[in-house]
Amino acid sequence: MSNQQNGSLPDFILPDSLYTETIREVHSAVEHDWDSLRQSACQTAAGRALWKHVIHDPLAELLAGETYLKKLYEKIKKDILNNAKEISGVIIAVRTLWFDKGIEAALTSFDGGGAQVVILGAGMDTRAYRLSCLKDSNMFEVDFPEVLQMKTTIVEAATETTDEQKHQLMMAKSLNRVAADLREKDWLEKLQESGLKLNKNTVWVLEGILYYLSHSNAMEVLKIIANNCTSAHTVLLADFMNKQSTTMSSSNFHFYSDYPDELLPSLGFSDVKLSQIGDPDAHFGLLHDPLNLFNKLRNLPRSLQTHPDDGTPCCRLYLLQASGAPPNKTIL
């Protein structure tokens, strides 16, 4: 795809591998058997695939599937033709790049000894295959069993299932997929059974997951991660919706925090940093127009629920980095 933000219409050519029998069968099941929560994983993959001029994710097209690729492409095409100030998918692109950068920075901050990276609600995440900074890290992906099985099937099809080719494709030191539901109380236990060490430096990645949980479930997940700060150097990377953002899809979005930078310290995290889409560390050259929605919101007090100019809801996405460590360890 060419440069959407410059107003040029992207090329759209689906890869032949999308039409193999295995891939078609898998995506047929996704469309007919999965609920909207599970399908959102493929929608995110479509965003990464169609913003491939800034995100290197060779597996994204296969994981997204034809239906979600076409839907997002049509939205992008319409945005470009209408000279929209925000192009569809740009939030996914910026968010993905912010988390990529955050993971690399967190791993660099650890004082040697290797590390663990846990992705909760992993969906179609492929960082284990595309981030070289993970070469010394043990990766854990947590999601519903059918989501992880679908991804495994497609990745194996893409690599022709030979151990040698999978090894060449893998960037992380190791990868464990853990079938668990974050709404249940046993997900941490399942992680430990799969090899997670609570006394080892760990990066916890919660990208596009918290707001799908109920308030009680989301708070429990955050408290469990915060409690781990007493055992090992812990870094949390997460995105939060404010209250107004959850109204965009009340059936899917539940948990919100208008001030996550105050919430996280109350749970035991320190060194909390909040960014918004469009901030200097969260635009990656994709949001130049000062009049686009994200830049307009950045200049308004966070306490405002509606925009004073047009009365539209102030829907914000906050990107949070937080950390913690036992008393005898220094946070770099």
Side-chain angles (χ1 to χ4, degrees):
M1 168 173 274
S2 53
N3 293 333
Q4 292 97 310
Q5 70 270 29
N6 292 330
S8 56
L9 190 64
D11 299 323
F12 185 62
I13 303 174
L14 291 171
D16 293 339
S17 49
L18 265 180
Y19 298 100
T20 64
E21 182 177 358
T22 298
I23 302 297
R24 291 179 71 91
E25 287 180 355
V26 167
H27 280 294
S28 176
V30 169
E31 292 178 39
H32 294 100
D33 301 335
W34 287 16
D35 59 16
S36 58
L37 173 58
R38 289 161 176 80
Q39 289 173 346
S40 68
C42 296
Q43 294 166 357
T44 298
R48 291 171 178 155
L50 292 177
W51 284 79
K52 61 186 177 183
H53 62 291
V54 293
I55 300 172
H56 176 67
D57 191 344
L59 293 169
E61 289 180 322
L62 295 182
L63 293 168
E66 179 180 4
T67 297
Y68 297 107
L69 287 170
K70 285 184 174 179
K71 284 182 179 179
L72 181 56
Y73 173 79
E74 289 303 318
K75 290 182 180 179
I76 292 174
K77 180 180 176 181
K78 182 179 178 181
D79 289 342
I80 292 174
L81 293 176
N82 291 336
N83 294 314
K85 297 185 183 300
E86 308 89 28
I87 305 299
S88 294
V90 70
I91 290 183
I92 291 176
V94 169
R95 190 182 72 181
T96 298
L97 293 169
W98 184 89
F99 275 90
D100 286 355
K101 182 180 177 182
I103 291 170
E104 182 174 7
L107 293 174
T108 301
S109 75
F110 292 149
D111 186 20
Q116 303 170 131
V117 177
V118 182
I119 302 182
L120 299 183
M124 300 300 113
D125 190 286
T126 63
R127 290 185 171 93
Y129 300 94
R130 64 181 184 81
L131 294 187
S132 59
C133 64
L134 297 170
K135 60 183 177 62
D136 297 320
S137 300
N138 300 308
M139 291 277 296
F140 297 86
E141 296 180 349
V142 180
D143 213 318
F144 298 117
E146 60 271 27
V147 173
L148 295 179
Q149 183 55 56
M150 177 269 200
K151 179 159 66 171
T152 299
T153 299
I154 288 182
V155 170
E156 288 181 346
T159 58
E160 299 182 356
T161 71
T162 66
D163 289 340
E164 180 180 355
Q165 286 173 316
K166 280 191 287 186
H167 178 71
Q168 290 174 346
L169 183 62
M170 180 81 68
M171 291 285 190
K173 180 180 179 181
S174 67
L175 172 61
N176 290 282
R177 294 195 172 107
V178 182
D181 187 339
L182 297 178
R183 298 169 297 187
E184 304 296 334
K185 297 185 180 297
D186 60 352
W187 61 267
L188 183 62
E189 179 182 349
K190 289 182 176 180
L191 266 169
Q192 291 177 272
E193 291 171 352
S194 298
L196 182 75
K197 308 296 183 185
L198 295 183
N199 61 351
K200 192 174 181 179
N201 296 341
T202 305
V203 183
W204 295 84
V205 180
L206 283 67
E207 180 182 9
I209 181 63
L210 281 173
Y211 26 86
Y212 286 102
L213 301 175
S214 68
H215 181 82
S216 60
N217 288 148
M219 289 297 294
E220 182 65 21
V221 168
L222 291 171
K223 288 176 183 177
I224 288 173
I225 298 173
N227 289 340
N228 200 56
C229 293
T230 61
S231 302
H233 188 170
T234 302
V235 174
L236 171 71
L237 300 171
D239 59 329
F240 292 75
M241 285 184 173
N242 69 344
K243 183 176 182 179
Q244 290 290 55
S245 292
T246 62
T247 63
M248 294 187 295
S249 178
S250 58
S251 60
N252 283 326
F253 301 145
H254 308 288
F255 175 72
Y256 68 87
S257 177
D258 289 324
Y259 295 94
D261 48 336
E262 297 177 6
L263 170 65
L264 293 181
S266 74
L267 299 178
F269 290 103
S270 57
D271 295 307
V272 177
K273 180 183 178 183
L274 177 145
S275 300
Q276 296 188 65
I277 301 291
D279 280 351
D281 67 333
H283 67 75
F284 302 96
L286 303 178
L287 298 166
H288 292 297
D289 192 332
L291 296 180
N292 73 40
L293 173 63
F294 313 109
N295 288 325
K296 287 168 65 177
L297 287 176
R298 287 173 54 233
N299 296 320
L300 293 175
R302 286 163 56 190
S303 59
L304 287 182
Q305 296 296 310
T306 56
H307 199 291
D309 291 345
D310 54 21
T312 57
C314 292
C315 298
R316 300 176 187 265
L317 184 70
Y318 298 123
L319 304 169
L320 273 293
Q321 176 181 323
S323 58
N328 61 335
K329 287 192 176 183
T330 301
I331 300 174
L332 301 178

